[in-house]
Amino acid sequence: MARVALRNAREQARLRGDSVRQKKEARRTGLRSGARADGRDPQSLGAAISRLVAERGWEAPAAVGGVMGRWPQIVGRDLAAHCEPEHYAEDDRVLTVRCSSTAWATQIRLLAPQLVGKLNQELGHGTVKLIKVQGPTGPTRSYGRLRAPGSKGPGDTWG
């Protein structure tokens, strides 16, 4: 029992010595807060978010997200009224745009090279390589309340 008590006392003394040594080292190296600014001081929200985006490598997705929010200012109100960006594939650098009609989809396909140039001017060179234009989607097929279990729709009535 005496040996256990002696071992505990030595361990506590060693821990106290370690903490004193750490405090002395902190005073020597300047790890305490003072009158001058350092990395531990409070930062503005914008600066903290900018640092987080830079550390994580989210510059391109954040820039494209900003473009999706500013779409009408970039492409113009007329185009923005009839098409909207849906998805950006970062690996392929492809921006997918959905149009309200097939006529507008054709128009956007013709304007795609100019839009790519304008987007790269806003985002940085090479951010968008291709604009994939999609036309409107058809209405979803709705089935009635009464439906035979296991049927595959109207093509299954005679079979």
Side-chain angles (χ1 to χ4, degrees):
M1 196 156 152
R3 287 183 191 167
V4 172
L6 181 61
R7 188 177 331 133
N8 287 340
R10 284 183 180 167
E11 182 66 27
Q12 289 177 356
R14 187 181 61 77
L15 290 175
R16 277 193 307 264
D18 285 346
S19 67
V20 170
R21 192 174 322 116
Q22 286 174 354
K23 287 179 185 177
K24 285 181 183 177
E25 188 175 317
R27 275 190 228 124
R28 265 188 263 130
T29 59
L31 291 176
R32 59 190 172 148
S33 182
R36 293 183 187 86
D38 63 359
R40 297 175 295 155
D41 288 342
Q43 297 178 358
S44 66
L45 181 62
I49 289 176
S50 296
R51 193 179 89 214
L52 178 69
V53 166
E55 285 175 356
R56 302 283 171 106
W58 294 339
E59 289 92 358
V64 171
V67 164
M68 289 187 178
R70 297 179 301 136
W71 184 252
Q73 290 86 15
I74 293 172
V75 299
R77 291 188 182 273
D78 292 336
L79 262 70
H82 297 285
C83 68
E84 61 182 16
E86 274 197 347
H87 178 71
Y88 175 70
E90 187 178 358
D91 299 335
D92 302 329
R93 297 181 180 179
V94 175
L95 179 67
T96 304
V97 177
R98 170 96 39 207
C99 297
S100 61
S101 69
T102 55
W104 277 103
T106 303
Q107 185 70 22
I108 298 300
R109 283 187 190 101
L110 293 173
L111 292 173
Q114 289 89 2
L115 290 176
V116 168
K118 194 179 271 191
L119 289 170
N120 283 332
Q121 185 180 7
E122 290 280 329
L123 300 173
H125 183 67
T127 306
V128 177
K129 289 187 177 178
L130 179 71
I131 293 181
K132 183 178 176 184
V133 181
Q134 295 180 341
T137 58
T140 58
R141 181 176 244 166
S142 61
Y143 297 102
R145 256 182 4 155
L146 302 174
R147 187 164 178 229
S151 73
K152 295 182 177 133
D156 195 25
T157 55
W158 300 101

